[in-house]
Amino acid sequence: MSALQRLRAARERPTGQKLRVDPVVCEGIGQCAMAASRLVHLDRWGYPIVPTEELGASDLAPAQRAVNSCPRHAMWLEETS
Amino acid sequence: MTLTMTRVATDTLLTGPVTLSPSGPADSVTESVRESYDDHVLRFGRRPDVSAALLAAIEHEGLLGHGGAFVPVALKWRSALLRKGPLTVVANAAESEPLAGKDGTLIRQRPHLVLDGLMIAAQALGADRAIIWLHGDDHTARTVFEAAFKERGWSGRDVPIEIIDGPVHYLAGEAQAITRATSGGPALPFPRRNVTDPWAPQTLVQNVETLARLALLARGLPNPRTRLLTVLGAHRMVVEVDQSTTIEQVLISLRWKVAPQAVLLSGYAGIWAKWDDVAGLEVNEKKLRSAKLTLGAGVMVPLAEDACGIRVTADLVAYLASMSARQCGPCLFGMPALAEHWAALADEDGDRRTMDRLRADISAIEGRGACRHPDGATRLSTSALQTFSAHLGAHVSGMRCRHRMHVTLPGTSL
């Protein structure tokens, strides 16, 4: 996360949502990184690295796109508890 | 010297120290005293009847899990009591770490204390099922428990506890793998998901030492201020020492004469530390954790001065990579990558860029596995980079490794 992104995230109202991936179901197809390139990055083997912190309001739509794009249903949004 | 040598007392868990075969099940090669049911009842009386009110005592005592992660028992119990689904309580006796032998020793010496603990947990939480989970190759443990059942007069359909042999695998004792196996799936770890259905079946896994301590606590007896350790020197030994014993004192008591260069704490997926940094530290988990260290399930491997820590680390990481559940990307691809970097460093085929790539791969896989297995390899790697930094400098700059002694840790030759 860049300094600018961190600054923006800090200003943003918290959503109480986190982007999660089930690494067992994930097959490294990589659709999520295409659907939300700002949010999801791939490691050098093609598996997604998702932000560990709570999503900001402006991240919610791309996160939902990433969730919807996964052909294996390996991604989901989870309430932070 | 605080090495506990007393035969069965109420303030110790073991009946005495033992020497074990180099790796695998904790079968003692020295004499070991098994406490019979009569002795057990004579000393402690029968198992007390308990209810969920026992939780208050557990909380007050601050009882922690002794499988290695030191999760407060009260935390697990409270979440089990909140949910309404059928509950399975598991006594985890699967010591899948090749060196660890303290749980195996405990169940061989005091099976009745562990059985009491399991039944107390099951009764207090209103469990529907109680299971003893064994590592697949621990045949003695099954015999020990079956003999203990017989001593209690349990036979046939009366036996309230099932014994299940898990697989023979490094991950066989992982709590999530056990949970999955007891609910009919494969004994493989899976990522923790928030359970929303309060009626979903649930499994509570407790380590056997935790249950033995629970059996004492439920009787109003003090929680022993000791720690069970497995130490690999010339032999593999299991000892029980007071928590105020320093790491140096432990080695002295085991007749270790020359100071080692480093110690591997908590096992093959553990933490390397320089001898001078840890010799004076007590084996007290709380104090170790405040120094960002842990003894986990109580495993300690001193590394002799003339052994190459980089070679040993390369062997260990290769072993851990081979013990992957092969379920997720970080484990399936990340661990072999780490092993490859370490092999290059050990063979003096690597350079500074190998170390950079190793560091990059460590941070890429950390925290992303389906279970904590990859994190064990990254923790080991990170601590090895620090502990052997000077020697790594020699390995990557073309100077010959001056450590000629070849050390192969038990169970790691692939």
Side-chain angles (χ1 to χ4, degrees):
Chain A
M1 207 188 223
S2 73
L4 192 69
Q5 282 173 320
R6 254 195 300 277
L7 191 71
R8 206 193 53 223
R11 276 197 199 137
E12 258 178 0
R13 136 185 86 78
T15 54
Q17 302 275 328
K18 260 175 131 176
L19 184 58
R20 295 280 315 268
V21 58
D22 183 333
V24 174
V25 179
C26 174
E27 288 181 20
I29 298 165
Q31 294 291 326
C32 51
M34 281 197 262
S37 57
R38 194 168 51 78
L39 215 54
V40 182
H41 303 275
L42 300 180
D43 66 17
R44 70 181 175 100
W45 304 283
Y47 291 86
I49 302 176
V50 299
T52 48
E53 60 273 9
E54 193 179 320
L55 297 173
S58 68
D59 292 332
L60 218 47
Q64 192 59 57
R65 274 205 306 278
V67 170
N68 296 345
S69 74
C70 180
R72 294 286 171 270
H73 302 288
M75 242 177 213
W76 73 99
L77 285 169
E78 193 173 276
E79 306 264 318
T80 52
S81 48
Chain B
M1 190 67 266
T2 40
L3 189 69
T4 316
M5 289 290 190
T6 29
R7 291 210 158 185
V8 199
T10 53
D11 56 352
T12 63
L13 291 168
L14 296 185
T15 60
V18 287
T19 302
L20 308 177
S21 51
S23 74
D27 290 324
S28 173
V29 296
T30 51
E31 196 208 353
S32 151
V33 181
R34 189 180 80 89
E35 190 181 38
S36 71
Y37 188 50
D38 289 345
D39 285 351
H40 170 77
V41 172
L42 211 63
R43 189 163 291 110
F44 300 111
R46 292 194 182 277
R47 172 174 61 86
D49 275 319
V50 295
S51 68
L54 183 60
L55 179 60
I58 291 172
E59 211 142 33
H60 182 256
E61 180 59 47
L63 185 65
L64 300 174
H66 280 70
F70 291 85
V71 180
V73 173
L75 205 72
K76 285 189 180 183
W77 280 40
R78 222 177 296 122
S79 87
L81 287 167
L82 273 177
R83 288 170 52 191
K84 304 176 185 79
L87 173 69
T88 303
V89 179
V90 181
N92 186 5
E95 266 179 316
S96 305
E97 165 79 38
L99 287 184
K102 61 112 177 153
D103 290 334
T105 301
L106 176 68
I107 58 179
R108 281 161 176 74
Q109 296 190 348
R110 305 189 80 181
H112 291 289
L113 203 57
V114 175
L115 285 179
D116 272 2
L118 176 57
M119 296 190 71
I120 286 166
Q123 188 182 38
L125 297 168
D128 302 81
R129 227 177 137 199
I131 290 172
I132 296 171
W133 178 263
L134 302 176
H135 197 250
D137 61 358
D138 197 353
H139 308 302
T140 316
R142 177 177 272 275
T143 319
V144 164
F145 280 120
E146 278 168 356
F149 288 0
K150 211 169 270 172
E151 280 184 309
R152 288 183 179 230
W154 295 346
S155 61
R157 288 170 151 267
D158 301 338
V159 180
I161 296 172
E162 289 168 68
I163 303 175
I164 299 183
D165 297 307
V168 184
H169 193 278
Y170 186 78
L171 300 171
E174 202 267 339
Q176 293 295 313
I178 298 173
T179 299
R180 202 163 159 194
T182 53
S183 44
L188 291 169
F190 68 102
R192 203 176 283 271
R193 283 196 189 209
N194 286 352
V195 181
T196 45
D197 175 10
W199 293 95
Q202 47 171 340
T203 306
L204 177 85
V205 180
Q206 297 277 213
N207 163 269
V208 287
E209 183 187 340
T210 315
L211 292 172
R213 289 177 185 271
L214 176 68
L216 296 174
L217 191 146
R219 289 176 161 95
L221 294 164
N223 188 7
R225 292 228 355 105
T226 56
R227 178 137 202 198
L228 306 184
L229 297 173
T230 314
V231 187
L232 184 74
H235 305 284
R236 180 167 63 133
M237 290 199 69
V238 173
V239 292
E240 179 167 16
V241 298
D242 192 273
Q243 285 188 38
S244 62
T245 315
T246 64
I247 290 177
E248 185 170 29
Q249 284 171 324
V250 172
L251 289 201
I252 290 170
S253 77
L254 296 174
R255 305 205 182 87
W256 195 278
K257 300 224 165 50
V258 190
Q261 55 166 312
V263 199
L264 177 62
L265 303 172
S266 104
Y268 285 179
I271 306 171
W272 282 112
K274 287 195 182 103
W275 174 248
D276 294 335
D277 293 343
V278 295
L281 293 183
E282 295 176 11
V283 298
N284 180 316
E285 185 68 16
K286 219 176 185 177
K287 292 189 179 171
L288 288 169
R289 289 199 173 205
S290 63
K292 292 211 175 352
L293 295 169
T294 174
L295 267 167
V299 178
M300 213 184 325
V301 186
L303 185 72
E305 191 59 59
D306 48 357
C308 175
I310 299 163
R311 167 63 62 195
V312 175
T313 304
D315 288 349
L316 289 177
V317 176
Y319 169 78
L320 293 174
S322 79
M323 287 295 153
S324 161
R326 311 198 166 277
Q327 295 188 112
C328 70
C331 202
L332 206 50
F333 297 99
M335 305 258 290
L338 297 187
E340 205 175 290
H341 299 319
W342 277 112
L345 291 170
D347 294 342
E348 295 164 65
D349 281 342
D351 51 22
R352 300 249 162 226
R353 277 169 307 185
T354 315
M355 287 173 67
D356 292 341
R357 280 195 288 269
L358 172 61
R359 286 198 190 92
D361 284 345
I362 288 171
S363 65
I365 69 174
E366 201 146 70
R368 291 183 46 238
C371 69
R372 311 283 295 170
H373 186 54
D375 291 353
T378 59
R379 183 173 72 165
L380 178 74
S381 297
T382 306
S383 68
L385 282 170
Q386 280 168 7
T387 306
F388 307 117
S389 60
H391 189 49
L392 271 164
H395 269 249
V396 296
S397 61
M399 285 189 273
R400 305 292 305 168
C401 173
R402 61 192 160 75
H403 299 297
R404 286 288 144 235
M405 188 171 108
H406 196 82
V407 177
T408 308
L409 292 181
T412 61
S413 49
L414 303 169

